[in-house]
Amino acid sequence: MAPSQRVEQMNKELRKGHFLAEKDRFCAYCVVRGTSFCGMVPNEDMAQLSSQSRPLTLDRRRTLFHQGDETQSIYVVTSGTLRLYQMLADGRRQVVGFAIPGDLLGFPLADHNDYSADALDSVYLCQFPRQEFMQFLNQRAHLLGALLTVTHDELNRTREQLALISQKNAERKMAQFLLSFRGRQMRMDEEISVLPVRIPQADIADFLGLTIETVNRMLARFTREKIIAITDTGVELLNLIRLHMLAEA
Amino acid sequence: MAPSQRVEQMNKELRKGHFLAEKDRFCAYCVVRGTSFCGMVPNEDMAQLSSQSRPLTLDRRRTLFHQGDETQSIYVVTSGTLRLYQMLADGRRQVVGFAIPGDLLGFPLADHNDYSADALDSVYLCQFPRQEFMQFLNQRAHLLGALLTVTHDELNRTREQLALISQKNAERKMAQFLLSFRGRQMRMDEEISVLPVRIPQADIADFLGLTIETVNRMLARFTREKIIAITDTGVELLNLIRLHMLAEA
DNA sequence: CGGACGCTTTGATCGAGATCATTGGCATTC
DNA sequence: GAATGCCAATGATCTCGATCAAAGCGTCCG
């Protein structure tokens, strides 16, 4: 079964409450097992991890948590996409990333959230109360190592974004963005050529440090040149070779 | 004694080899104790940490390690400044940060270095062989937590840089850069108003995503307006209020 | 000494993307 | 079904920093 189907099925069951009754099996059967922090948790710890988690649904445009608020929970995204952003002193908004299934949200050792997170579509998450999560971590040193790895990955991703945003060429920025976003999605589904989210152009703009007009013009140009196609389910990458050329040239 | 004096004295003794003979005392008396990862190491672990460390000197313009090379050692900077950078696919160079006394260089859980590091002036470091350092860490879960905190700090600093570089106004970029660099230096010395390094303008340019010409013109303007003064020891911040205004307006 | 090199400085011109302005579609709400 | 708001699309103009060019300056070294 393809991951996306599995997600759908799991979400159905989630809504029916199946998993709530069988908590131990919850994590073991999770779709994002193997792509996230949870994937680094050995099987013998699964039951305990499951018992702490609570499924959570978040509607489009709802906020999961705000920058600066006290860190009360840690989350793992199981389905959907969120935008992560910081408000800057001058009123600008910097989108620091997009969270997709498998991503860990919230850093248990920090007292306050580093960024805000809100849903771009319907989002399903596993929620872990911070205190219990931390206890769980501290009991098992190898899990601290797993968290360290995840944090380091995020550091590297942020450095990648830095390289992206420091580009002066809007076309290249856009091409690199599409490719790197695809790269992240491929973690779940290797064959992907449609990016399954409609990210508002304003969010892409705030991610890339461009204006909405420039983002729009670039997407229009790519569409005109048949490099991408924008559908109501997301963006389809039609010509990966050209996209790579634009990204690197 | 002011930190800078202590550094000087320690460096003198280092050169004479004093500390090599008394390894256990090395870390306990270290100037960057309390400002770095080492500061989170409890006293009872100090002796062992000391016994693993090896002092190291690096001349101006020398490279400590290259991006992509195998991670063989972890370093703590005790004196001097290094530039950390990545070479990008298109040949550009992205400076991802400047390491100052107290900073930890090299991530023990990664097999390869994420960036290159070279000295901007004479640099003194403590070197820890990676394998031993990792063993040391794994024996003490609380030290993993310390490393996690340091890594998270670096993540936040990188996000700050992201916000900085996404600014479109060169003047504001420069002002924010000077202030944030000062902020980092203050970790060691609260009273600082002279940034004690002569960072080549080309490095500032590659840090901020500007050209050397623009960097130069901004520095010239700030100097003309008596906001800063450039001496042969570094940059003196003459008018912090104006600098803050420029950074935020 | 001379000259080559690394780094800084300054001027002139150009162009990509910001900014400003307007329109249109589509969904939500009363 | 009119009103409101959100988002996308596109044209006209402007601006700031990139780019191109050249010169200055200290220092290292044969």
Side-chain angles (χ1 to χ4, degrees):
Chain A
M1 208 191 304
S4 53
Q5 290 175 278
R6 285 216 307 273
V7 172
E8 250 325 292
Q9 199 194 322
M10 193 191 73
N11 287 338
K12 267 191 216 140
E13 302 198 40
L14 263 177
R15 283 190 285 270
K16 285 189 285 178
H18 273 192
F19 282 93
L20 293 171
E22 305 181 56
K23 285 203 161 193
D24 288 359
R25 298 176 55 201
F26 183 69
C27 285
Y29 289 160
C30 177
V31 264
V32 299
R33 189 88 210 278
T35 64
S36 70
F37 169 80
C38 304
M40 303 185 210
V41 178
N43 285 322
E44 58 265 32
D45 293 335
M46 265 296 139
Q48 198 188 338
L49 188 67
S50 292
S51 74
Q52 290 183 4
S53 85
R54 211 169 72 78
L56 190 72
T57 304
L58 196 68
D59 289 338
R60 181 177 141 85
R61 220 171 306 216
R62 291 271 147 210
T63 298
L64 183 61
F65 53 74
H66 285 283
Q67 170 184 17
D69 281 0
E70 213 179 316
T71 310
Q72 293 184 337
S73 298
I74 312 302
Y75 306 90
V76 174
V77 184
T78 54
S79 161
T81 308
L82 302 97
R83 65 160 170 247
L84 318 178
Y85 60 97
Q86 298 179 322
M87 294 308 301
L88 306 182
D90 60 355
R92 271 172 47 251
R93 187 185 64 159
Q94 177 64 52
V95 173
V96 296
F98 298 98
I100 60 170
D103 284 342
L104 189 72
L105 290 179
F107 184 75
L109 270 66
D111 290 336
H112 301 275
N113 297 312
D114 300 323
Y115 45 76
S116 303
D118 38 45
L120 290 178
D121 45 19
S122 283
V123 168
Y124 296 89
L125 310 113
C126 283
Q127 182 176 30
F128 301 89
R130 182 186 165 208
Q131 290 307 327
E132 297 171 39
F133 191 76
M134 270 180 71
Q135 276 175 18
F136 184 59
L137 281 184
N138 285 326
Q139 284 159 20
R140 293 137 219 266
H142 57 280
L143 291 189
L144 267 180
L147 182 58
L148 195 51
T149 303
V150 171
T151 307
H152 184 248
D153 285 349
E154 195 167 336
L155 179 58
N156 277 332
R157 232 178 300 124
T158 306
R159 291 220 180 95
E160 236 177 76
Q161 194 189 345
L162 199 62
L164 185 53
I165 217 170
S166 74
Q167 293 278 4
K168 305 195 183 309
N169 184 313
E171 188 175 66
R172 205 179 299 172
K173 275 191 187 184
M174 184 57 74
Q176 285 185 17
F177 166 68
L178 292 170
L179 287 173
S180 83
F181 197 74
R182 178 181 119 100
R184 299 205 56 215
Q185 298 280 352
M186 284 198 302
R187 188 175 58 179
M188 295 233 19
D189 184 352
E190 289 293 330
E191 297 303 316
I192 204 162
S193 73
V194 180
L195 309 182
V197 214
R198 294 227 54 183
I199 300 177
Q201 296 185 358
D203 291 332
I204 302 180
D206 285 348
F207 182 78
L208 294 179
L210 297 171
T211 58
I212 44 176
E213 291 93 334
T214 303
V215 167
N216 186 277
R217 279 185 253 265
M218 289 304 129
L219 288 175
R221 185 189 298 174
F222 285 4
T223 305
R224 214 178 309 122
E225 298 182 5
K226 305 246 187 299
I227 298 171
I228 63 170
I230 294 176
T231 69
D232 46 4
T233 56
V235 179
E236 184 172 2
L237 307 184
L238 300 174
N239 191 338
L240 285 172
I241 295 128
R242 289 249 6 233
L243 214 47
H244 270 108
M245 277 167 42
L246 291 178
E248 275 157 45
Chain B
M1 208 191 304
S4 52
Q5 289 174 278
R6 285 216 309 271
V7 171
E8 250 325 292
Q9 198 195 321
M10 194 190 73
N11 287 337
K12 267 190 218 140
E13 303 198 39
L14 263 176
R15 283 189 285 270
K16 285 188 285 177
H18 273 192
F19 282 93
L20 291 170
E22 305 181 57
K23 285 203 162 192
D24 288 0
R25 299 175 56 201
F26 184 70
C27 284
Y29 289 160
C30 178
V31 264
V32 300
R33 188 90 211 276
T35 64
S36 70
F37 169 80
C38 305
M40 303 185 209
V41 178
N43 285 321
E44 59 265 32
D45 293 334
M46 265 296 138
Q48 199 188 336
L49 187 66
S50 294
S51 74
Q52 290 183 6
S53 84
R54 210 168 73 78
L56 190 72
T57 305
L58 196 67
D59 288 338
R60 179 176 143 86
R61 220 173 305 222
R62 291 273 147 207
T63 299
L64 184 59
F65 53 74
H66 285 282
Q67 170 184 17
D69 282 359
E70 213 178 319
T71 309
Q72 292 185 338
S73 298
I74 312 302
Y75 306 90
V76 174
V77 184
T78 55
S79 163
T81 308
L82 301 96
R83 65 159 171 248
L84 318 178
Y85 60 96
Q86 298 178 324
M87 294 309 300
L88 306 182
D90 59 358
R92 272 172 47 252
R93 187 186 64 157
Q94 177 64 51
V95 172
V96 297
F98 299 97
I100 61 171
D103 284 342
L104 189 73
L105 290 178
F107 184 75
L109 271 66
D111 289 334
H112 301 275
N113 297 310
D114 300 324
Y115 45 76
S116 303
D118 38 45
L120 289 179
D121 45 17
S122 282
V123 168
Y124 297 90
L125 309 113
C126 283
Q127 182 176 31
F128 301 89
R130 182 186 165 206
Q131 291 306 328
E132 297 171 37
F133 191 76
M134 271 181 72
Q135 276 174 18
F136 183 60
L137 280 184
N138 286 327
Q139 284 159 20
R140 293 134 219 268
H142 57 280
L143 291 189
L144 268 180
L147 183 59
L148 195 50
T149 303
V150 171
T151 307
H152 185 247
D153 285 348
E154 194 167 338
L155 178 58
N156 277 333
R157 233 178 298 126
T158 306
R159 291 217 180 96
E160 234 177 77
Q161 193 188 348
L162 200 62
L164 184 53
I165 217 169
S166 74
Q167 292 279 5
K168 307 196 182 308
N169 185 311
E171 188 174 65
R172 203 178 300 173
K173 275 190 186 183
M174 184 56 74
Q176 286 186 18
F177 165 68
L178 291 171
L179 287 172
S180 83
F181 197 74
R182 179 180 119 99
R184 299 205 57 216
Q185 299 279 354
M186 284 197 302
R187 188 176 58 177
M188 295 233 19
D189 184 351
E190 289 293 330
E191 298 303 317
I192 203 161
S193 73
V194 180
L195 309 182
V197 215
R198 294 226 56 184
I199 300 176
Q201 296 185 0
D203 292 331
I204 302 180
D206 285 348
F207 183 78
L208 294 178
L210 296 172
T211 58
I212 45 177
E213 291 93 333
T214 303
V215 166
N216 186 273
R217 279 185 252 265
M218 289 305 129
L219 289 175
R221 185 189 297 174
F222 285 3
T223 305
R224 215 179 309 123
E225 298 182 5
K226 303 244 187 301
I227 298 172
I228 63 170
I230 294 176
T231 69
D232 46 5
T233 56
V235 179
E236 184 172 3
L237 307 183
L238 300 173
N239 192 338
L240 286 170
I241 295 128
R242 289 240 19 226
L243 214 48
H244 270 108
M245 277 168 41
L246 291 176
E248 274 158 44

